[in-house]
């Protein structure tokens, strides 16, 4: 595994079977995500999540995705699942982010929805409370659950961000477009879910491998370009 504070990160989110989890591990993903939002097609019950975490532990960083939970709920999950990270994907305030982080003792990744330039202001608001920012596409207004819903946003919006900011990029990424996304946005990592699926919630091992390979190649190209 890379050092999450310095290395480039590839995260495969919404995993729900040992087979596809193994594909993510064998491909070398630094992070895997387990989704605890009941309205998502990628939801996993706690017992299944514990089985998957047992396979992944020590081989990758385990991220538990939660939406608008309070500290008590987050602590109970942290004690039972023992993830490496919590991913807050709801409307949590910076104060709630800090409270959950303090209560659980876990690093926290905060997802922020981006549709236009005006949405970038939230990055600085959360930068001091979250350990890592995840920039995702804003969901449709009538969406039943948060997240990018397979849609991208204009990556050129991120060109003016502080170069020192470590953020992950999500929203509509797949094996075909992740290289372009990395070239334009220059993130510290990429996060994919629906882009490596054959149907909603059904991960495809081949697409997982293709995504990781494409992301690694693109990051190597970015680093090479930065040295010349």
């Amino acid at each position: 595994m890379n050092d999450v504070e310095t290395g480039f990160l590839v995260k495969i989110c919404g995993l729900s079977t040992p087979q596809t989890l193994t594909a993510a591990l064998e491909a070398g993903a630094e992070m895997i995500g387990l989704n605890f939002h009941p309205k998502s097609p990628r939801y996993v019950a706690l017992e299944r999540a514990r089985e998957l975490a047992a396979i992944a532990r020590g081989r990758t960083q385990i991220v538990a995705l939660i939406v608008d939970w309070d500290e008590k709920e987050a602590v109970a999950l942290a004690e039972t699942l023992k993830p490496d990270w919590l991913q807050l994907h709801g409307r949590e305030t910076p104060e709630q982010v800090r409270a959950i982080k303090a209560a659980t003792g876990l690093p926290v990744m905060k997802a922020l929805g981006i549709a236009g330039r005006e949405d970038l202001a939230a990055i600085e608001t959360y930068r001091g409370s979250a350990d890592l920012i995840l920039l995702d596409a804003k969901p449709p207004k009538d969406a039943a659950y948060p997240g990018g819903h397979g849609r991208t946003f204009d990556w050129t919006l991120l060109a003016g961000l502080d170069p020192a900011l470590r953020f992950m990029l999500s929203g509509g990424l797949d094996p075909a477009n992740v290289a372009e996304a990395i070239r334009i946005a220059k993130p510290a990592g990429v996060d994919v879910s629906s882009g490596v699926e054959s149907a909603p919630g059904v991960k495809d091992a081949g697409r997982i491998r293709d995504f990781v390979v494409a992301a690694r190649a693109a990051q190597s190209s970015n680093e090479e370009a930065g040295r010349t």
Side-chain angles (χ1 to χ4, degrees):
M1 293 182 286
N2 283 348
D3 185 331
V4 296
E5 295 183 357
T6 58
F8 186 76
L9 307 172
V10 178
K11 177 171 172 277
I12 310 297
C13 198
L15 291 158
S16 59
T17 69
Q19 293 79 13
T20 53
L21 171 63
T22 298
L25 295 174
E26 291 178 347
E30 281 79 22
M31 291 179 163
I32 60 98
L34 303 175
N35 189 326
F36 289 92
H37 190 52
K39 293 183 179 180
S40 171
R42 296 156 193 98
Y43 168 77
V44 288
L46 181 57
E47 278 311 304
R48 169 53 66 92
R50 290 178 67 183
E51 294 170 7
L52 297 173
I55 298 170
R57 200 171 311 283
R59 302 172 66 186
T60 190
Q61 296 280 300
I62 301 164
V63 182
L65 187 161
I66 57 178
V67 178
D68 296 324
W69 287 23
D70 61 26
E71 295 100 300
K72 185 176 179 180
E73 292 172 302
V75 167
L77 179 65
E79 291 177 347
T80 304
L81 184 69
K82 296 180 171 56
D84 299 294
W85 286 75
L86 291 177
Q87 178 176 328
L88 308 188
H89 220 105
R91 298 181 180 180
E92 302 89 359
T93 65
E95 292 74 23
Q96 289 170 322
V97 172
R98 285 193 288 269
I100 287 174
K101 180 178 173 179
T104 62
L106 292 173
V108 170
M109 180 187 309
K110 179 67 181 91
L112 301 175
I114 306 295
R117 191 169 301 280
E118 66 278 6
D119 297 314
L120 300 179
I123 295 173
E124 286 304 315
T125 303
Y126 285 90
R127 190 172 178 178
S129 54
D131 297 278
L132 191 60
I133 299 292
L134 173 67
L135 301 182
D136 199 357
K138 264 190 174 177
K141 290 184 178 180
D142 60 349
Y145 55 92
H149 289 255
R151 308 186 310 170
T152 62
F153 65 92
D154 181 2
W155 302 317
T156 65
L157 292 171
L158 308 181
L161 294 182
D162 179 359
L165 173 70
R166 277 181 62 79
F167 69 92
M168 292 190 75
L169 181 66
S170 189
L173 300 180
D174 60 36
N177 68 13
V178 67
E180 183 73 355
I182 291 170
R183 185 185 68 80
I184 293 172
K186 297 178 174 59
V190 288
D191 180 8
V192 66
S193 189
S194 63
V196 291
E197 292 178 348
S198 56
V202 182
K203 292 292 186 288
D204 180 275
R207 289 180 65 81
I208 289 172
R209 287 189 291 269
D210 290 347
F211 183 87
V212 176
V213 168
R216 290 268 180 268
Q219 178 62 13
S220 294
S221 294
N222 263 9
E223 292 174 355
E224 183 64 29
R227 289 193 288 266
T228 59

